[in-house]
Each structure stands twice: as C-alpha cells, then as structure tokens.
Amino acid sequence: MQSAYLIATSCTRFGKQPGTSFKDLTRQAYLAVLADAGLADGADIANAWFGNCGMGSWGQRNIRGQVCFTPLVRDGLFPERVPMINVEGGCATASMALHGAWKDVLSGTCALSLAIGVEKTFVQEDAPGAGMRSGAARTQEIFDGGIDQLDPQEWLAYYAAAGDAAGKPFNPRDGGGTLFMDTYAMQAAWHIKTYGTTVAQIAAGASKNHAMGALNPLAQYRFEVSPAQVLADRLVSWPLTRAMCAPIGDGAAAALVCSSAYLKTLPQAVQARALRIRASVITGGKYRRLDEPGLSQLAAQRAYAMAGITPQQVDVAEVHDATSFCEIYQAEMLGFCPIGQGGAFVASGATSLGGERPINLSGGLVSKGHPVGATGLSMIHELALQLRGEAGARQQPGARIGLAENGGGVIGFDEAACAVTILERV
C-alpha cells in the first residue's frame, strides 16, 4: 500500500473574533497552508474536504464549503470544478476531513487533497442572520447538535442512572454549565470514586496546559494559572472549575495531503518537512457501562496496529481535553498508563514538556481554545510543528512520532465518533 504524506498545515489564532466571518477564516487558513507548502496557488488540489458544524446557525447549510471557497475560486487561488465534500461530526469534524483527504491519496483518487476545518462558536447578540434568535441561543444550537435530539429520553434515563452510580446526581442546570460539562463532570466523579483520582490531580493538568498555552501565539488563553488558582476558580459542575473547561471561540485550520509520487516533484525544502501519516482510524460510540473502556481505546489500538508501533513509541500527543479530566482519561485509553492511574500520571509531570509522554503542548483545548469544526486539524498543526522541530518554547526535544486523539458528539459517556491519527517525521 502506498503512503500518504502531510506536506503542509496551518492554523489561525483561536478566540472570540466577532468581526471575522467564516469566509475570512477560510481564506486565512487556506492561504497559510499554501504558504507552508511553498505553493503560489492550489492548482494541483484535486479534492477538498470542508469541516464545519455551526454555519447553519448563521443561516448557511448544505453547501458550506462551496460558499466559503467561491471568493477563492474567483480570485484564482483555488481551482475551478474541484469537488468539495462537506463534513460534520461534532468536535471530530476536522479529523474526519483529514481522514477523507488521507483516503483520497491512499485510494489513488488524487495526488493532492485538502482538508480544512472552519468554525465560529462565538455569536454576538446583534449578529445578523438566522432570524431573531439571540447569540446565546445560536451558540447553544451548535452544541445541541452533538447529542440525540430525536429521542432525548434515552440519554436522560442513561445519565440519571449513571449519576447515581457516580455519586453525582444528573442535574444539567446545576452550576449553569452546559450539558456536556455535566456529563464530563459525572465521568470525573465516577473516576474519583472508583480509582481515588483527586481534584488536585485534575487541577495539575489544567495548570500545565494553561502554562503551555501561554507559550502558544495562536492560543485563545495566553496566561498561566497555578493549580491553586484552578481549584479556586468558579465551579462549573463539580469537580470541574472554569479553568478546567474549554472556552468557546472561532478559528480555522487546514492540511495538505499528498502521494509519495507527488512529494518527489516538490522542492527539497518541502520534502524535508513532509510527515508520513502512519495511521488514521475512526471509531463509533455507543451507550457503554461506566466501567467499560471508551471508543478511543479501540481507535488507538487499531491505529497502533496500523502504524506498527506501541504506545511507548509516541513522543508527543494532542488529546481532546474539552475538560482537564479528559487528559487523565485519555492517557489511560491511549495506553500511556494503566487504567485508573491517569490522575497520578498527569500530576507526576509525565505529560509535561520534557516528561515521559508529553500531552497537549499546544495548551490543549482548555487553553488553546476549541472552535469545534477546526479543533482536529489544529491538533495536527501542533504535531507538525513538534515533529519538524518548529514549536519554539514548546518544543519537545527529539520528537519523531506524534499522535492526535479527537472525539466528537456524545452517545452516553462515549463520544459519537473518535479519530486517532499517527504522524511520523521521515
């Protein structure tokens, strides 16, 4: 089987950008990924995958990518007649777009494919479009799409029973947080009850990621927060404080994937920065038992088998920490530490810069930010910087193999979809 290579990545600054449109963000990420590949235009791009979740709340559904790329086609920067596949899968959206581009190349469908994720989750109260709904209502609509709206009684009953088992009754209005923060909080409470994980360990991970975000010029939050400050911050849903939870914001990220034959036609400087995509795996969620491993464990196991490596060979990882408990949980699911020991693993410094298994050196979602449809490709951008030795003050020395884990939507305590991608410097 032929290989697929990542020849360029890009990511915009993440944060609340009320004056920046979807088309603006698309242009920024697209032009930046061309520049990273040393290309003047996208004439050789034969397929494109456009990831987005929230544009429908602004009044644009169905042909989102085509609409956002029309000005770029008009300006001669993106080729005419290129198929644009729109992708939507909650927080895993951009990872799905990359998966599509990867399969394009492996199947021989094309030699160069584009993956891009664009999102605005921050909506001003007076923003135009989508009728007279408030900005808060439109933002909420974006996130509501990440859970079953056809039979909500199913997950209401599931969470009620799980809350009893976790020792944290399910009350989505408690603390004023979103439904998703409450589900993460129940998982954290069960982990605390079952394995002795502590709130201080969750706070240690949050503090570490805020420190890394302070070093990331693209991060939404660029300030340090001590463990004590994390614990003292406003409670969202016990045991999670605001500093442990990802903020809403806007941003875009992109990647170009090519075949080995196409790579050989590019300048040596581009070839030298190319990364091999060793694995790309997506799994689907289900209503699982609290003591049953999540779908990310299966995705990781399949990805390790595809890449022919073990968890101990991963030099740096980016994981979906919508809350700081998730880093603890995913360290276990990805095989970086035994199940039940994630809290101690994170608190020990093992996931810190220079540690045994550095995780979220970008600052993670809690500091870098979480524009839903762009998040997965922003993880890939960070891994590319790390594997190329271009991460500056965040650089993990000698990083050669990187892993990204990204989950989207929820089915019970599983994500609806989980993507695990493995990259290698060659």
Side-chain angles (χ1 to χ4, degrees):
M1 185 174 74
Q2 71 165 311
S3 295
Y5 293 87
L6 193 72
I7 57 167
T9 64
S10 71
C11 187
T12 69
R13 180 180 61 83
F14 282 3
K16 296 178 179 179
Q17 303 181 55
T20 305
S21 70
F22 285 100
K23 291 183 180 180
D24 293 335
L25 290 168
T26 300
R27 181 177 288 265
Q28 288 177 29
Y30 175 66
L31 294 183
V33 82
L34 289 183
D36 193 51
L39 299 175
D41 55 43
D44 291 340
I45 296 172
N47 271 2
W49 299 77
F50 185 90
N52 172 264
C53 292
M55 208 179 299
S57 295
W58 297 68
Q60 180 61 60
R61 293 177 172 83
N62 302 326
I63 55 168
R64 303 174 192 187
Q66 287 84 349
V67 167
C68 286
F69 269 82
T70 292
L72 293 162
V73 173
R74 186 181 299 122
D75 293 344
L77 296 169
F78 189 78
E80 297 179 354
R81 308 301 189 192
V82 169
M84 179 77 62
I85 301 98
N86 292 288
V87 181
E88 183 175 353
C91 307
T93 292
S95 299
M96 291 179 172
L98 179 66
H99 189 73
W102 171 74
K103 290 200 293 185
D104 278 345
V105 171
L106 291 187
S107 68
T109 301
C110 68
L112 182 63
S113 187
L114 169 71
I116 184 168
V118 181
E119 198 68 87
K120 289 182 68 66
T121 58
F122 173 68
V123 184
Q124 281 185 298
E125 289 299 320
D126 59 350
M132 300 299 293
R133 287 173 297 150
S134 69
R138 279 184 269 167
T139 298
Q140 186 63 48
E141 182 180 77
I142 296 169
F143 290 94
D144 285 346
I147 194 168
D148 186 354
Q149 297 297 330
L150 300 181
D151 294 298
Q153 69 279 358
E154 187 169 6
W155 51 260
L156 284 168
Y158 175 90
Y159 291 137
D164 292 341
K168 177 181 170 60
F170 176 56
N171 183 354
R173 292 166 293 180
D174 184 23
T178 70
L179 168 68
F180 302 102
M181 294 301 103
D182 285 301
T183 64
Y184 283 123
M186 282 194 291
Q187 292 180 71
W190 185 85
H191 210 270
I192 289 169
K193 177 182 176 182
T194 305
Y195 300 115
T197 303
T198 68
V199 183
Q201 290 170 341
I202 301 174
S207 178
K208 179 266 294 184
N209 284 348
H210 280 286
M212 299 312 302
L215 299 175
N216 184 353
L218 301 179
Q220 181 163 345
Y221 290 163
R222 297 197 62 202
F223 50 80
E224 296 189 16
V225 185
S226 70
Q229 289 172 318
V230 172
L231 291 170
D233 202 2
R234 178 175 63 82
L235 189 67
V236 174
S237 182
W238 188 89
L240 304 176
T241 66
R242 180 177 56 178
M244 300 174 183
C245 302
I248 63 170
D250 311 326
L256 284 170
V257 181
C258 78
S259 65
S260 55
Y262 184 84
L263 180 63
K264 292 175 183 177
T265 69
L266 298 174
Q268 185 57 42
V270 177
Q271 294 186 43
R273 296 174 72 244
L275 304 172
R276 183 183 172 193
I277 302 177
R278 291 285 300 271
S280 179
V281 173
I282 296 177
T283 53
K286 67 171 187 176
Y287 284 100
R288 63 172 172 85
R289 302 186 315 272
L290 274 168
D291 62 351
E292 185 179 358
L295 75 168
S296 56
Q297 184 189 74
L298 179 59
Q301 290 172 346
R302 290 178 177 174
Y304 293 141
M306 184 181 294
I309 66 168
T310 67
Q312 289 66 43
Q313 290 176 269
V314 174
D315 297 307
V316 61
E318 289 284 308
V319 307
H320 184 96
D321 63 328
T323 75
S324 294
F325 167 71
C326 299
E327 182 168 320
I328 290 172
Y329 181 74
Q330 295 304 342
E332 298 174 0
M333 292 299 102
L334 298 175
F336 297 156
C337 67
I339 290 177
Q341 296 182 25
F345 187 71
V346 170
S348 74
T351 65
S352 299
L353 179 63
E356 175 187 337
R357 203 75 55 214
I359 294 177
N360 289 344
L361 298 185
S362 65
L365 279 59
V366 299
S367 184
K368 178 188 63 180
H370 184 28
V372 178
T375 293
L377 281 164
S378 75
M379 294 176 172
I380 297 300
H381 177 68
E382 176 66 22
L383 291 182
L385 294 177
Q386 291 288 340
L387 300 183
R388 292 168 175 162
E390 299 171 358
R394 307 189 312 284
Q395 182 65 51
Q396 173 67 13
R400 188 179 68 86
I401 293 179
L403 178 149
E405 176 277 326
N406 185 25
V410 294
I411 297 179
F413 284 140
D414 261 353
E415 292 88 356
C418 178
V420 171
T421 309
I422 297 176
L423 305 177
E424 179 186 26
R425 185 182 75 239
V426 293

